[in-house]
Amino acid sequence: QVQLVESGGGLVQAGGSLSLSCAASGRTFSGYFMGWFRQAPGKEREFVATISWSGRNTHYTDAVKGRFTISRDNAKNTVDLQMNSLKPEDTAVYYCASGRGGIFARATSQYAFWGQGTQVTVSS
């Protein structure tokens, strides 16, 4: 089992920034791709970004390209999501996930482990 705990959510004005962090514990972090997803009220959980084990490869949904940056520190077993130029439509609960589905894994079913989520609210 891999336990994932997100932190860093909060309330921010449009145009502002937030940084989310996900700490992993339990079985080895090694070899797992890490992803961030989000779920807005009344909507399905959607893919945001993934990062490979090495950190050299990343993939983003079009809606956040150029604004969000995913990174990881394998020595600390953490994966971060830096969110800049936030928009009200970015408001959602953000989830960290891990799996072996590959850098282009966008489906929730491709991730085996999930965190509890952290709320991000962007006011207009």
Coordinates of all heavy atoms in Angstrom, one line a residue, residues 23-64:
A23 N 2.6 14.0 0.1 CA 3.6 13.2 0.7 C 3.2 11.7 0.7 O 2.0 11.4 1.0 CB 3.7 13.6 2.2
A24 N 4.1 10.9 0.2 CA 3.8 9.5 0.1 C 4.5 8.7 1.2 O 5.7 9.0 1.6 CB 4.3 9.0 -1.3
S25 N 3.9 7.6 1.7 CA 4.5 6.8 2.6 C 4.0 5.3 2.4 O 3.1 5.1 1.6 CB 4.2 7.2 4.1 OG 2.8 7.2 4.3
G26 N 4.6 4.4 3.1 CA 4.2 3.0 2.9 C 5.2 2.3 2.0 O 6.4 2.5 2.2
R27 N 4.7 1.5 1.1 CA 5.6 0.8 0.2 C 6.4 1.7 -0.6 O 6.1 2.9 -0.7 CB 4.8 -0.2 -0.6 CG 3.9 0.4 -1.6 CD 3.1 -0.6 -2.4 NE 3.9 -1.4 -3.3 CZ 3.4 -2.4 -4.0 NH1 2.1 -2.8 -3.9 NH2 4.1 -3.1 -4.8
T28 N 7.4 1.2 -1.3 CA 8.3 2.0 -2.0 C 7.6 2.9 -3.1 O 6.7 2.5 -3.7 CB 9.4 1.1 -2.8 OG1 10.3 2.0 -3.5 CG2 8.7 0.1 -3.7
F29 N 8.1 4.1 -3.2 CA 7.6 5.1 -4.1 C 8.2 4.8 -5.5 O 7.7 5.3 -6.5 CB 8.2 6.4 -3.6 CG 7.5 7.6 -4.1 CD1 6.1 7.7 -4.1 CD2 8.2 8.7 -4.5 CE1 5.5 8.9 -4.5 CE2 7.6 9.9 -4.9 CZ 6.2 10.0 -4.9
S30 N 9.2 3.9 -5.5 CA 10.0 3.7 -6.7 C 9.2 3.2 -7.9 O 8.3 2.2 -7.7 CB 11.1 2.7 -6.4 OG 11.8 2.4 -7.6
G31 N 9.4 3.8 -9.1 CA 8.8 3.3 -10.3 C 7.4 3.8 -10.5 O 6.8 3.5 -11.6
Y32 N 6.8 4.5 -9.6 CA 5.4 4.9 -9.8 C 5.4 6.3 -10.5 O 6.1 7.2 -10.1 CB 4.7 5.0 -8.4 CG 4.2 3.7 -7.9 CD1 5.0 2.9 -7.1 CD2 2.9 3.3 -8.1 CE1 4.5 1.7 -6.7 CE2 2.4 2.1 -7.7 CZ 3.2 1.3 -6.9 OH 2.8 0.1 -6.4
F33 N 4.5 6.4 -11.4 CA 4.1 7.7 -11.9 C 3.2 8.3 -10.9 O 2.5 7.7 -10.2 CB 3.3 7.5 -13.3 CG 4.2 7.2 -14.4 CD1 4.6 5.8 -14.6 CD2 4.6 8.1 -15.3 CE1 5.4 5.5 -15.7 CE2 5.4 7.8 -16.4 CZ 5.8 6.4 -16.6
M34 N 3.3 9.7 -10.8 CA 2.4 10.4 -9.9 C 1.5 11.4 -10.7 O 2.0 12.0 -11.7 CB 3.3 11.2 -8.9 CG 4.1 10.3 -8.0 SD 3.2 9.2 -7.0 CE 2.3 10.4 -6.0
G35 N 0.3 11.5 -10.3 CA -0.6 12.4 -11.0 C -1.4 13.3 -10.0 O -1.5 13.0 -8.8
W36 N -1.9 14.4 -10.6 CA -2.8 15.2 -9.9 C -4.1 15.2 -10.7 O -4.1 15.3 -11.9 CB -2.3 16.6 -9.7 CG -1.2 16.8 -8.7 CD1 0.1 16.8 -8.9 CD2 -1.5 17.0 -7.3 NE1 0.8 17.0 -7.7 CE2 -0.2 17.1 -6.7 CE3 -2.6 17.1 -6.5 CZ2 0.0 17.4 -5.3 CZ3 -2.4 17.4 -5.1 CH2 -1.2 17.5 -4.6
F37 N -5.2 15.1 -9.9 CA -6.5 15.2 -10.5 C -7.3 16.2 -9.7 O -6.9 16.6 -8.7 CB -7.3 13.8 -10.4 CG -6.8 12.8 -11.4 CD1 -5.5 12.2 -11.2 CD2 -7.6 12.4 -12.4 CE1 -5.1 11.2 -12.1 CE2 -7.1 11.4 -13.3 CZ -5.9 10.8 -13.1
R38 N -8.5 16.6 -10.3 CA -9.3 17.5 -9.5 C -10.8 17.2 -9.8 O -11.1 16.6 -10.8 CB -9.0 19.0 -9.9 CG -9.3 19.3 -11.3 CD -8.8 20.8 -11.6 NE -9.1 21.2 -13.0 CZ -8.7 22.3 -13.5 NH1 -7.9 23.2 -12.8 NH2 -9.0 22.6 -14.8
Q39 N -11.6 17.6 -8.8 CA -13.0 17.3 -9.0 C -13.8 18.5 -8.5 O -13.7 18.9 -7.3 CB -13.4 16.1 -8.2 CG -14.9 15.6 -8.5 CD -15.2 14.2 -7.9 OE1 -14.4 13.7 -7.1 NE2 -16.2 13.6 -8.4
A40 N -14.5 19.2 -9.4 CA -15.4 20.3 -9.0 C -16.7 19.8 -8.6 O -17.1 18.7 -9.0 CB -15.5 21.2 -10.2
P41 N -17.5 20.5 -7.9 CA -18.8 20.1 -7.4 C -19.7 19.7 -8.6 O -19.8 20.5 -9.6 CB -19.4 21.3 -6.7 CG -18.2 22.1 -6.2 CD -17.1 21.8 -7.3
G42 N -20.3 18.6 -8.6 CA -21.2 18.1 -9.6 C -20.6 17.6 -10.9 O -21.2 17.3 -11.9
K43 N -19.2 17.6 -10.8 CA -18.5 17.1 -12.0 C -17.7 15.9 -11.7 O -17.4 15.6 -10.6 CB -17.6 18.2 -12.5 CG -18.3 19.4 -13.1 CD -17.4 20.4 -13.7 CE -18.1 21.6 -14.3 NZ -17.2 22.5 -15.0
E44 N -17.3 15.2 -12.8 CA -16.4 14.0 -12.6 C -15.0 14.4 -12.3 O -14.6 15.5 -12.6 CB -16.4 13.1 -13.8 CG -17.8 12.5 -14.1 CD -17.7 11.5 -15.3 OE1 -16.7 11.5 -16.0 OE2 -18.7 10.8 -15.5
R45 N -14.3 13.5 -11.6 CA -12.9 13.8 -11.4 C -12.1 13.8 -12.7 O -12.3 12.9 -13.5 CB -12.3 12.7 -10.5 CG -11.0 13.0 -9.9 CD -10.6 12.0 -8.8 NE -11.6 12.0 -7.7 CZ -11.4 11.3 -6.5 NH1 -10.3 10.6 -6.4 NH2 -12.3 11.4 -5.6
E46 N -11.3 14.8 -12.9 CA -10.6 15.0 -14.1 C -9.1 15.1 -13.9 O -8.6 15.5 -12.9 CB -11.1 16.2 -14.9 CG -10.8 17.5 -14.2 CD -11.1 18.7 -15.0 OE1 -11.7 18.6 -16.1 OE2 -10.8 19.9 -14.6
F47 N -8.4 14.6 -15.0 CA -6.9 14.6 -15.0 C -6.4 16.1 -15.0 O -6.9 16.9 -15.7 CB -6.4 13.8 -16.2 CG -5.0 14.0 -16.5 CD1 -4.0 13.4 -15.8 CD2 -4.6 14.9 -17.6 CE1 -2.7 13.5 -16.1 CE2 -3.3 15.0 -17.9 CZ -2.3 14.4 -17.2
V48 N -5.3 16.3 -14.3 CA -4.6 17.6 -14.3 C -3.2 17.5 -14.9 O -2.8 18.1 -15.8 CB -4.6 18.3 -12.9 CG1 -3.8 19.6 -13.0 CG2 -6.0 18.5 -12.4
A49 N -2.4 16.6 -14.3 CA -1.0 16.5 -14.6 C -0.4 15.1 -14.2 O -0.9 14.6 -13.2 CB -0.2 17.6 -14.1
T50 N 0.6 14.7 -14.9 CA 1.4 13.5 -14.4 C 2.9 13.8 -14.5 O 3.3 14.7 -15.2 CB 1.1 12.3 -15.3 OG1 1.3 12.6 -16.6 CG2 -0.3 11.7 -15.1
I51 N 3.6 13.0 -13.8 CA 5.1 13.1 -13.8 C 5.7 11.7 -13.7 O 5.1 10.9 -13.0 CB 5.6 14.0 -12.7 CG1 7.1 14.3 -12.9 CG2 5.3 13.5 -11.3 CD1 7.6 15.4 -12.0
S52 N 6.7 11.4 -14.5 CA 7.3 10.1 -14.5 C 8.2 9.9 -13.2 O 8.4 10.9 -12.4 CB 8.2 10.0 -15.7 OG 9.3 10.9 -15.6
W53 N 8.6 8.7 -13.0 CA 9.4 8.4 -11.8 C 10.7 9.3 -11.8 O 11.0 9.8 -10.7 CB 9.8 6.9 -11.8 CG 11.0 6.6 -11.0 CD1 12.2 6.1 -11.5 CD2 11.1 6.7 -9.6 NE1 13.1 6.0 -10.4 CE2 12.4 6.3 -9.3 CE3 10.3 7.1 -8.6 CZ2 12.9 6.3 -7.9 CZ3 10.7 7.1 -7.3 CH2 12.0 6.7 -7.0
S54 N 11.3 9.4 -12.9 CA 12.6 10.2 -12.9 C 12.3 11.7 -12.7 O 13.2 12.5 -12.4 CB 13.3 10.0 -14.2 OG 12.6 10.5 -15.3
G55 N 11.1 12.1 -13.1 CA 10.8 13.6 -13.0 C 11.1 14.3 -14.4 O 10.8 15.4 -14.5
R56 N 11.7 13.5 -15.3 CA 12.1 14.2 -16.6 C 10.9 14.4 -17.5 O 10.9 15.2 -18.4 CB 13.2 13.3 -17.2 CG 14.5 13.4 -16.6 CD 15.6 12.9 -17.5 NE 15.4 11.4 -17.7 CZ 16.0 10.5 -16.9 NH1 16.8 10.9 -15.9 NH2 15.9 9.2 -17.2
N57 N 9.9 13.6 -17.3 CA 8.7 13.6 -18.3 C 7.5 14.1 -17.5 O 7.2 13.6 -16.4 CB 8.5 12.3 -18.9 CG 9.7 11.9 -19.8 OD1 10.1 12.6 -20.7 ND2 10.2 10.7 -19.4
T58 N 6.8 15.0 -18.1 CA 5.5 15.5 -17.5 C 4.5 15.6 -18.6 O 4.8 15.7 -19.8 CB 5.7 16.9 -16.8 OG1 6.2 17.8 -17.8 CG2 6.7 16.8 -15.7
H59 N 3.2 15.7 -18.2 CA 2.1 15.8 -19.1 C 1.0 16.5 -18.4 O 0.7 16.3 -17.2 CB 1.7 14.4 -19.5 CG 0.5 14.3 -20.4 ND1 0.5 15.0 -21.6 CD2 -0.7 13.7 -20.3 CE1 -0.7 14.8 -22.2 NE2 -1.4 14.0 -21.4
Y60 N 0.4 17.5 -19.1 CA -0.7 18.3 -18.5 C -1.9 18.3 -19.4 O -1.9 18.2 -20.6 CB -0.2 19.7 -18.4 CG 1.0 19.9 -17.6 CD1 2.3 19.8 -18.1 CD2 0.9 20.2 -16.2 CE1 3.5 20.0 -17.3 CE2 2.0 20.4 -15.4 CZ 3.3 20.3 -16.0 OH 4.4 20.5 -15.2
T61 N -3.0 18.5 -18.7 CA -4.2 18.8 -19.5 C -4.2 20.2 -20.1 O -3.5 21.1 -19.5 CB -5.5 18.6 -18.6 OG1 -6.7 18.7 -19.4 CG2 -5.6 19.7 -17.6
D62 N -4.8 20.4 -21.2 CA -4.6 21.7 -21.9 C -5.1 22.8 -21.1 O -4.5 23.9 -21.2 CB -5.5 21.6 -23.2 CG -4.8 20.8 -24.3 OD1 -3.7 20.4 -24.2 OD2 -5.5 20.5 -25.3
A63 N -6.0 22.6 -20.2 CA -6.6 23.8 -19.4 C -5.6 24.4 -18.5 O -5.8 25.5 -18.0 CB -7.8 23.3 -18.7
V64 N -4.5 23.6 -18.1 CA -3.6 24.2 -17.1 C -2.2 24.3 -17.7 O -1.3 24.8 -17.0 CB -3.5 23.2 -15.9 CG1 -4.9 23.0 -15.3 CG2 -2.8 21.9 -16.2

